[in-house]
Amino acid sequence: MTASTTRRTTAARSRLAAAGAIAVAGALLLTGCGDQTKDKGSGESKSESKAPLADKLPQSIRDKGVVKVGSDIAYAPVEFKDDSGKVVGIDPDLAAAMGKQLGVTFEFENATFDTLIGGLASKRYDMAMSAMTDTKDRQEGVDADTGKKVGAGVDFVDYFTAGVSLYTNKGADQGIKTWDDLCGKTMAVQRNTFSHDLAKDQAKKCTDAGEKTLKIEPFDTNPEAETRMRSKGADVVSADFPIAAYSVKNSGGGKYFQIVGDQVEAGPYGIAVAKDNTELRDALQAAVQAVIDSGEYQKIVDKWGVADGAITEAKINGGS
């Protein structure tokens, strides 16, 4: 999700691109942290020797034939369940394409966003892929609120770009056009995302200016924040632009929400990997770049209506 100087983090940040087209796509099996379904991306089996980048992976992963992926699977169109319960979206499609390059299956496990980096540290997951903005704070293991070191940090393989948007109930923008219009309003937002960080910064700006503060109501998932706004318990929701645009187009057949103002704080989405897992990091970078170079990446972003956020180079730790 996106950021100013912070982004959808373990205290967080966001993204850029236009979301739209719903095309229900191939299935990864999903294993839930409490959701016990498992979705596996298509990829070569571990016995398959023809995958061009298989030898770049750590031997332990080659032996298993599986990369465990931590993800918050409630963030359409990046990753979500379709009406049949299948896990679909930009990230699952990209993981499936990477699997063909590496000769492994990417197995997604559902979790709340703010537990993903901790899951890498505890080795619950090999990587986290969940519209997570690559930021210096996350790279260095710094808490965005306190500025204190709280962990070892992670490395990122960047694969997309996105910014943050505000959206309201349709026909009820209440004069909100910029973040400075939020003083005295109530925002519902997903906890520990970059949008949450931006909201905290804005609340402080309102108070420092002697205006009514911005009241913030954090939720575990973005759909919960939207439900709060739909019930008129909040005035506005903030999320990464692809997610906001997708909700505006599809929720209630396009009748529920509207985007207000311009998106802000564009930054890269990254696949997060533990600092000590450099061999896997480099293999993932090679796989993302191969998918870009093959043209498959462009097909994926076109399919989901997010071509404006496409990149041409899979950088390591390109966020600021």
Side-chain angles (χ1 to χ4, degrees):
M1 307 154 181
T2 323
S4 53
T5 46
T6 36
R7 294 175 181 276
R8 192 179 175 184
T9 73
T10 301
R13 276 90 191 157
S14 265
R15 17 242 164 199
L16 183 201
I22 259 190
V24 177
L28 293 150
L29 280 169
L30 176 97
T31 293
C33 276
D35 168 301
Q36 309 282 328
T37 54
K38 185 181 290 184
D39 211 338
K40 296 184 180 181
S42 63
E44 309 281 344
S45 73
K46 63 183 177 181
S47 62
E48 179 61 65
S49 60
K50 296 179 182 178
L53 301 177
D55 60 352
K56 289 185 174 293
L57 285 167
Q59 188 62 49
S60 59
I61 289 179
R62 294 177 65 187
D63 290 345
K64 291 184 296 184
V66 171
V67 177
K68 291 186 178 180
V69 184
S71 187
D72 174 12
I73 307 174
Y75 215 58
V78 184
E79 53 263 315
F80 66 107
K81 287 184 181 181
D82 67 15
D83 291 340
S84 70
K86 292 179 179 179
V87 180
V88 296
I90 301 163
D91 286 358
D93 281 0
L94 180 56
M98 292 165 63
K100 294 174 185 176
Q101 295 291 330
L102 294 167
V104 293
T105 295
F106 285 78
E107 185 176 289
F108 279 59
E109 296 188 13
N110 194 27
T112 55
F113 185 80
D114 58 0
T115 65
L116 296 179
I117 288 181
L120 293 175
S122 66
K123 302 193 183 304
R124 179 182 179 89
Y125 317 118
D126 298 309
M127 60 179 251
M129 190 176 191
S130 192
M132 184 179 289
T133 304
D134 173 2
T135 67
K136 288 295 183 185
D137 282 349
R138 285 174 170 169
Q139 293 169 23
E140 296 169 2
V142 171
D143 184 283
D145 289 334
T146 65
K148 294 181 179 179
K149 181 87 169 173
V150 292
V154 295
D155 284 335
F156 286 99
V157 176
D158 298 339
Y159 66 96
F160 192 70
T161 303
V164 174
S165 287
L166 299 171
Y167 55 115
T168 66
N169 287 323
K170 199 155 193 175
D173 65 20
Q174 300 172 77
I176 299 171
K177 293 182 174 60
T178 72
W179 283 75
D180 288 335
D181 297 323
L182 295 175
C183 300
K185 302 293 194 295
T186 299
M187 175 188 285
V189 66
Q190 184 173 0
R191 182 178 288 108
N192 291 333
T193 60
F194 180 57
S195 290
H196 193 187
D197 286 348
L198 285 179
K200 293 174 187 176
D201 291 344
Q202 184 60 46
K204 185 176 185 303
K205 284 176 64 177
C206 292
T207 301
D208 290 347
E211 300 185 42
K212 291 183 178 179
T213 191
L214 166 63
K215 182 181 177 182
I216 304 166
E217 294 191 0
F219 294 87
D220 285 341
T221 68
N222 198 66
E224 289 175 310
E226 292 179 347
T227 298
R228 179 63 169 165
M229 182 170 68
R230 280 276 297 150
S231 68
K232 297 183 170 55
D235 302 307
V236 63
V237 167
S238 176
D240 293 354
F241 179 72
I243 286 73
Y246 186 93
S247 288
V248 166
K249 180 173 181 178
N250 295 290
S251 297
K255 297 178 181 178
Y256 286 173
F257 306 129
Q258 65 185 60
I259 287 179
V260 292
D262 297 325
Q263 59 182 304
V264 298
E265 301 298 339
Y269 283 177
I271 299 168
V273 182
K275 284 285 189 186
D276 61 357
N277 208 348
T278 56
E279 190 175 5
L280 175 59
R281 179 200 67 194
D282 293 347
L284 294 173
Q285 181 194 30
V288 174
Q289 191 63 54
V291 173
I292 292 171
D293 294 343
S294 72
E296 186 66 19
Y297 176 88
Q298 191 64 45
K299 292 178 182 178
I300 292 169
V301 295
D302 286 344
K303 168 184 172 179
W304 291 104
V306 295
D308 286 351
I311 63 167
T312 58
E313 181 182 0
K315 296 180 180 179
I316 292 176
N317 295 333
S320 58

